[in-house]
Amino acid sequence: MTRSVPASPRRVLLVEDDPGDVFLVRELLAEADPALTVVVVHSVAEAVASDLLRRVDCVLLDLHLPGAQGLEGLRRVLQAHGGAAVCVLTGVDDEHLGVAAVAAGAQDYLVKGKVDGQVLIRAVRYAVERRRAETSLLRLREEQLAAAESARLERGLLPSPLLAGSSVRARSFYQAGRTRSLIGGDFFDAVLGPTGTVHAIVGDVCGHGPDEAALGALLRVSWRALVLAGLDEAQLLPKLQQVLVSERHDPALFTTVCTIAIRSVAGGRGEMVVRLAGHPPPAFLRPRLRRLEPPVGVPLGVLPDATWDELTVPLDTGWALLAYTDGLIEGRGHEPGEPLWEEGLHAMLEGERATDLELLPARLVERAQELNGGPLADDVAILILFEGQNP
């Protein structure tokens, strides 16, 4: 096993007002490491006022200097320096003062007259390494805190369907394509509207960056607000397109969307209205597996005067519907060199007829990743809606 050797510091700043001590320290360091550059200042004020603290590897600091006695000078240097290690080099052999100095932030406490050149240069090298380790740990901790905060924010952007009071239930799955991210440009939601109609949406903002993720979250929240405000179902996509056009950072940015409205009809079962804006069509899972074929309009953000025709289908007892984004079907499929596409997903669903709806979304992604030979590159959002018991 090879041990790592501490890197040799190149520049040391000596804060010392005694000419004899300056001469002695220079000689000790020159003997131990002739390549080391030693810069001397005579006060803490001079050290702090200059840019030297940002251009040296280590500071050797006397605690008895004009204008800064004891730990006061150490604290001023620690508050002002730009990452250099700080070693106290003083004539006071006081164990309690040494402990206090290290507790205040010094990497070491050395007593003049008790160190030779080898001891001094070793202390400087180890102090530099300890300071680098401390800095690395601090940066790692800051990154972890930032990542945790980002994760909390992203989790807050993922929806909780509002279906209480409805006979419709939902199961969902979400996986961002971006590394170490919880949310991407895909989005989904399901809400019980004020008239008793259940509305659902699955959408995909083109692109994979944080800007697209933020826009997807904004579109979802805007759609939910429009639904809860009681906007007519036919107006949801035009209004959502207005939001997209006003908020997108790139005029070429577009969004594909599938909207679903589930409503009761007089004297019979319910019915479902589906609209597509450049999005893959949903598929019924129950009572039998079948793909829907609604007319496909252009994605949001492409044509300012676009319209989106509807497909209305009756709902059978025990129905269940799958809606998804294209990240699920654009990985490698069963045929070499071909994506999974809708046909491959349909075949996959045939083989999962016995899988519980609770487990089905994650199972579909698992199988898609197996076919792809690894993680899917794009975001994946899956929403399963089905008939449940009205509480």
Side-chain angles (χ1 to χ4, degrees):
M1 180 177 179
T2 304
R3 292 184 178 180
S4 60
V5 179
S8 296
R10 296 181 178 181
R11 291 169 63 88
V12 169
L13 175 62
L14 175 61
V15 188
E16 175 62 72
D17 67 334
D18 187 315
D21 288 339
V22 170
F23 176 80
L24 179 61
V25 172
R26 280 185 178 276
E27 289 297 310
L28 291 175
L29 291 175
E31 178 185 350
D33 187 353
L36 184 66
T37 299
V38 180
V39 182
V40 179
V41 295
H42 302 296
S43 68
V44 170
E46 186 179 354
V48 170
S50 68
D51 193 41
L52 290 172
L53 292 173
R54 300 184 180 278
R55 294 189 286 114
V56 298
D57 301 300
C58 185
V59 178
L60 293 175
L61 175 67
D62 188 7
L63 293 184
H64 296 279
L65 297 167
Q69 292 292 311
L71 296 182
E72 177 192 351
L74 173 61
R75 294 191 181 98
R76 289 175 60 185
V77 170
L78 290 172
Q79 291 171 1
H81 78 79
V86 180
C87 288
V88 171
L89 181 59
T90 183
V92 180
D93 189 359
D94 185 335
E95 181 179 352
H96 297 290
L97 182 60
V99 171
V102 172
Q107 272 68 51
D108 208 340
Y109 184 90
L110 306 170
V111 179
K112 298 175 183 177
K114 291 192 173 183
V115 293
D116 58 19
Q118 290 301 322
V119 171
L120 183 57
I121 194 63
R122 187 182 302 116
V124 169
R125 288 171 178 168
Y126 289 171
V128 170
E129 288 299 314
R130 282 195 293 272
R131 180 58 184 165
R132 289 173 180 169
E134 291 170 1
T135 301
S136 297
L137 288 175
L138 179 60
R139 289 175 180 169
L140 177 61
R141 179 59 177 162
E142 290 174 346
E143 291 175 358
Q144 290 173 336
L145 290 174
E149 180 179 1
S150 177
R152 286 195 299 270
L153 290 172
E154 290 187 349
R155 278 194 295 268
L157 293 174
L158 290 174
S160 297
L162 298 178
L163 298 176
S166 164
S167 62
V168 177
R169 297 291 174 268
R171 297 293 181 267
S172 62
F173 181 95
Y174 196 96
Q175 178 175 284
R178 290 187 297 142
T179 304
R180 294 188 295 182
S181 180
L182 295 177
I183 188 170
D186 290 9
F187 57 94
F188 69 91
D189 206 349
V191 178
L192 174 62
T195 64
T197 298
V198 170
H199 296 266
I201 188 170
V202 177
D204 180 1
V205 179
C206 70
H208 304 93
D211 291 334
E212 288 75 19
L215 183 57
L218 174 64
L219 292 175
R220 182 191 68 78
V221 173
S222 300
W223 173 87
R224 175 179 280 204
L226 293 171
V227 170
L228 293 177
L231 189 70
D232 182 71
E233 181 271 333
Q235 292 300 312
L236 288 174
L237 285 182
K239 293 299 182 183
L240 201 60
Q241 174 162 266
Q242 289 183 18
V243 175
L244 170 65
V245 171
S246 65
E247 297 295 335
R248 61 187 176 184
H249 59 280
D250 181 349
L253 202 64
F254 63 87
T255 299
T256 69
V257 169
C258 169
T259 63
I260 300 163
I262 302 165
R263 60 198 181 198
S264 299
V265 294
R269 301 291 306 172
E271 66 179 14
M272 177 181 298
V273 177
V274 180
R275 296 180 191 269
L276 295 183
H279 200 83
F284 273 115
L285 302 173
R286 297 176 183 173
R288 63 184 180 86
L289 181 63
R290 64 187 177 100
R291 285 180 285 171
L292 297 180
E293 297 183 359
V296 182
V298 298
L300 303 184
V302 174
L303 297 176
D305 56 350
T307 59
W308 297 273
D309 296 330
E310 67 179 53
L311 172 68
T312 302
V313 293
L315 295 175
D316 298 322
T317 302
W319 65 270
L321 184 83
L322 169 72
Y324 56 92
T325 56
D326 58 11
L328 179 63
I329 60 173
E330 289 186 341
R332 287 195 290 269
H334 300 88
E335 300 296 328
E338 288 292 325
L340 183 63
W341 294 138
E342 296 169 25
E343 293 76 10
L345 176 61
H346 189 80
M348 188 184 297
L349 290 171
E350 285 282 6
E352 299 293 337
R353 294 294 301 272
T355 302
D356 188 90
L357 294 180
E358 186 80 33
L359 306 175
L360 182 59
R363 177 58 181 159
L364 292 177
V365 173
E366 179 185 356
R367 289 195 56 184
Q369 291 181 152
E370 290 174 355
L371 288 172
N372 192 52
L376 301 173
D378 201 359
D379 306 329
V380 177
I382 297 175
L383 180 64
I384 293 179
L385 303 172
F386 61 96
E387 185 179 35
Q389 294 298 320
N390 197 332

